[in-house]
Amino acid sequence: MTTPQDVLKSIPIFSTVLGDAQISALASRLGVTQFARGAVLMRQGEMGTSMFAIMKGAAEVTVHAAGGRESVATLGPGDLVGEISLMTGAYRNATVTATKALTALEIGKPALQSLLSESPELISRFAGVIEQRQAELHRIRKSAAHWDSVGLDRHAIENLMRSFYKS
């Protein structure tokens, strides 16, 4: 995976919804960001302004739970992180730290806005991924206090995304 288009095509959420021209258009609007080992891509509790598609390197996803910090996932090339916050306007629900030097595509709201209006089914796909991530976090934390307070199911996520991207 050497080009932004290759990375986007490797991520099912994009490749199954967007055609080649749409993927190329999205890729042309993205920046490539470098993170040194130990750098924090995002912090739990902060507002997110972008998501990242990892091109190379690795990152660890951790959540703060009652017993302290807990590692919940290791990410690598082709993985997407930060989509919940970017797509819904919610606060970050995990901290992501580079465990190796990392290169990622940074995908912000402006880059997605026109594609979401052209391909509304992308909202449904993102909502499905967000719903799945919520379920994973619930199982890991054994407490869904954060998401229970938000009360998001797939339908609510889709509505939140439609509302967030209208602004």
Side-chain angles (χ1 to χ4, degrees):
M1 290 186 278
T2 57
T3 69
Q5 290 91 341
D6 292 338
V7 173
L8 294 175
K9 285 180 183 180
S10 76
I11 300 171
I13 203 164
F14 293 118
S15 64
T16 59
V17 176
L18 303 177
D20 288 341
Q22 291 171 313
I23 287 176
S24 292
L26 177 59
S28 71
R29 293 189 286 255
L30 305 181
V32 176
T33 305
Q34 305 284 329
F35 295 94
R37 182 176 182 218
V40 175
L41 284 71
M42 59 192 67
R43 290 189 195 284
Q44 185 174 344
E46 292 181 344
M47 185 57 68
T49 58
S50 59
M51 64 182 162
F52 296 95
I54 300 175
M55 297 178 77
K56 63 181 176 179
E60 179 184 31
V61 180
T62 58
V63 294
H64 294 288
R69 192 176 81 155
E70 184 176 345
S71 178
V72 297
T74 300
L75 305 174
D79 286 327
L80 187 65
V81 65
E83 70 282 356
I84 293 173
S85 185
L86 175 65
M87 298 303 292
T88 66
Y91 290 101
R92 301 280 193 204
N93 59 25
T95 297
V96 180
T97 306
T99 56
K100 295 181 180 177
L102 188 140
T103 303
L105 292 175
E106 187 168 6
I107 306 167
K109 184 178 178 181
L112 287 178
Q113 200 130 26
S114 64
L115 287 176
L116 291 174
S117 63
E118 293 169 12
S119 302
E121 68 275 14
L122 188 57
I123 285 178
S124 181
R125 291 224 182 252
F126 270 111
V129 170
I130 291 167
E131 183 179 45
Q132 182 179 21
R133 294 266 172 111
Q134 282 180 206
E136 291 168 9
L137 283 173
H138 177 73
R139 282 190 297 274
I140 290 165
R141 290 173 140 173
K142 306 218 188 313
S143 166
H146 171 72
W147 287 107
D148 286 345
S149 68
V150 177
L152 296 178
D153 61 14
R154 186 178 182 136
H155 181 71
I157 294 167
E158 287 182 25
N159 288 336
L160 185 59
M161 289 172 62
R162 284 187 182 93
S163 174
F164 184 64
Y165 275 87
K166 283 183 185 176
S167 55

